[in-house]
Amino acid sequence: MRGITTMRRGSIVAAIAIGSVAVLTACGTSSGGGTAAPEATELGDMESSVSILAWPGYVEDGSNDPAVDWVTPFEEDTGCEVVSKSYPTSDDAVNLMKTGDYDVVAASGDATLRLIAAGDVAPINTDLIPNYAGIFDFLKDQAWNSVDGESYGVPHGYGANLLLYNTDDVTPAPTSWDVVFDKASEYTGKVTAYDSPIYIADAAVYLMAHQPDLGITNPYALDETQFQAAVDLLKEQRPHISEYWSDYLKEISAFETGDSVVGTTWQVIENSLEAEGAATDVVLPEEGATGWSDTWMIASEAKSPNCAYAWLDYIASPEANATATAYFGEAPSSEAACDFRDDCEAYHAGDADYASQIWYWTTPIADCVDGRTDVECIDYAQWTQAWSEIKG
């Protein structure tokens, strides 16, 4: 649930060449009640426009920065005029998709299963998306973008929620999340954490390693006992928190001023701090970390399904994906995209071992996503209620 208000404005050349994209004649419509529409099976004529709902910085047409525009080449090649709207949180995206006003949505894993369960998005036919073949295998067919063997979207970018620390104040260099949990009292009033119910999963990742008797095998599949342990850990952390952040610029400012010295972060934040000469560094702790892998999805009742498929193929193309993910500050979804970026190493793009340590955001649901059938897991609505109680 990344509520970014301003993206990194690097000097990114938007010279994007787009090849042929697939168009289709029709998509099925949702039957409602959580039943998804069938996937498209054939190609046809483009419509005149496509409506896209996405995180800020995912659909740039030069209006924010004339040098940043990967939308215009798509429009010129396909004839599909892009109409876009950005949203601040995953909850907003879920609610907006219920209006039926959007053909395409870029959703994080804490929203995707909710969209699928509600029947608001349709399974996709990856054969109609040529660029899907080049996407990293470890991003495909995952719990947050596929159900019962059916793919519901195209992976976009991904990243880990890392541990950021002030190298002067936090010594020795940390290797564990214990500095924000069991040892948080050493930095009282200067610990920061991500402001979202999904942060409960960060506590669960820590408990997986430090309280194995709880039996947690997936931080998004928590039964009542496991969930309460994670909530209790966050309530213990609460007195030591300086602030919960969702605007990444505020976290940058807090570390520059010294108001925060340790906490969860993204690689792009450390890149910005490093560029300003701040005494900070990041680490992927030994317990692993949560993270995100965003997915482009098509509405089950899309008014422009042909243009929607065209967009999914285009945004997965190496040039467009490289430009969009670099602008946002995340790893691209394919090795070929790294031919158009010079910072893939910093984002560990394509590093399967690194990616295997990331627990990508997945919507918590009652049907435990770890495969257990003998218990009921705590769903996202209860995570949201608990988060309000944790923050007080």
Side-chain angles (χ1 to χ4, degrees):
M1 300 174 90
R2 302 191 305 288
I4 296 182
T5 57
T6 305
M7 296 292 104
R8 181 170 60 116
R9 298 300 200 265
S11 177
I12 304 170
V13 179
I16 306 169
I18 171 174
S20 341
V21 289
V23 290
L24 51 147
T25 55
C27 279
T29 56
S30 173
S31 59
T35 302
E39 67 179 32
T41 59
E42 54 185 346
L43 310 179
D45 295 330
M46 293 281 187
E47 303 83 10
S48 60
S49 66
V50 61
S51 178
I52 301 176
L53 181 65
W55 288 108
Y58 268 25
V59 187
E60 291 295 312
D61 61 2
S63 57
N64 289 321
D65 183 339
V68 181
D69 179 4
W70 54 88
V71 169
T72 298
F74 169 79
E75 293 177 323
E76 292 175 346
D77 189 89
T78 64
C80 300
E81 179 185 0
V82 171
V83 180
S84 66
K85 179 180 176 64
S86 61
Y87 60 83
T89 71
S90 289
D91 288 348
D92 291 304
V94 170
N95 291 330
L96 286 166
M97 282 300 291
K98 294 184 185 303
T99 66
D101 293 338
Y102 306 96
D103 301 304
V104 173
V105 60
S108 291
D110 54 344
T112 50
L113 293 186
R114 286 186 280 168
L115 293 169
I116 293 169
D120 293 330
V121 293
I124 63 166
N125 185 345
T126 58
D127 290 339
L128 302 179
I129 303 173
N131 283 305
Y132 186 84
I135 292 173
F136 294 127
D137 287 340
F138 60 78
L139 297 178
K140 297 176 179 177
D141 303 318
Q142 299 298 329
W144 62 88
N145 59 32
S146 301
V147 174
D148 295 333
E150 285 192 298
S151 175
Y152 276 80
V154 174
H156 178 65
Y158 69 98
N161 295 314
L162 302 169
L163 177 63
L164 175 65
Y165 62 98
N166 183 298
T167 54
D168 292 333
D169 295 324
V170 183
T171 58
T175 59
S176 166
W177 287 109
D178 60 3
V179 291
V180 299
F181 290 123
D182 290 336
K183 297 180 180 179
S185 60
E186 298 178 18
Y187 309 101
T188 296
K190 295 193 174 183
V191 177
T192 188
Y194 188 55
D195 189 2
S196 167
I198 208 69
Y199 183 66
I200 294 172
D202 291 59
V205 168
Y206 184 73
L207 292 172
M208 286 172 67
H210 295 272
Q211 292 189 33
D213 55 304
L214 286 169
I216 300 173
T217 60
N218 184 310
Y220 307 103
L222 305 177
D223 60 35
E224 186 173 352
T225 299
Q226 296 165 340
F227 183 74
Q228 192 58 53
V231 170
D232 288 345
L233 180 60
L234 292 175
K235 287 182 176 179
E236 292 171 8
Q237 181 197 56
R238 180 66 183 93
H240 310 297
I241 293 289
S242 53
E243 69 173 352
Y244 293 101
W245 66 274
S246 57
D247 180 343
Y248 91 136
L249 295 177
K250 290 184 178 179
E251 186 179 39
I252 290 174
S253 177
F255 272 82
E256 288 177 334
T257 62
D259 291 338
S260 295
V261 299
V262 67
T264 185
T265 197
W266 305 327
Q267 183 65 52
V268 65
I269 294 175
E270 166 57 16
N271 291 350
S272 296
L273 287 166
E274 183 180 357
E276 295 299 321
T280 58
D281 202 355
V282 292
V283 63
L284 179 66
E286 59 196 21
E287 297 91 353
T290 61
W292 73 89
S293 171
D294 290 344
T295 304
W296 289 103
M297 312 178 85
I298 296 178
S300 54
E301 297 185 355
K303 298 178 180 65
S304 300
N306 305 297
C307 286
Y309 262 81
W311 175 263
L312 262 62
D313 187 56
Y314 168 73
I315 201 65
S317 67
E319 301 92 337
N321 185 256
T323 305
T325 55
Y327 180 70
F328 190 88
E330 59 191 338
S333 63
S334 71
E335 188 67 40
C338 288
D339 292 339
F340 300 89
R341 288 181 59 171
D342 59 6
D343 59 352
C344 273
E345 185 175 353
Y347 288 93
H348 302 274
D351 186 338
D353 289 338
Y354 184 89
S356 70
Q357 301 175 66
I358 303 173
W359 290 94
Y360 297 99
W361 286 342
T362 304
T363 309
I365 56 176
D367 293 334
C368 304
V369 294
D370 63 359
R372 286 181 292 169
T373 58
D374 58 335
V375 296
E376 187 172 280
C377 282
I378 306 301
D379 65 20
Y380 189 75
Q382 293 170 280
W383 283 50
T384 300
Q385 180 180 351
W387 183 243
S388 296
E389 295 172 358
I390 289 164
K391 292 177 63 179

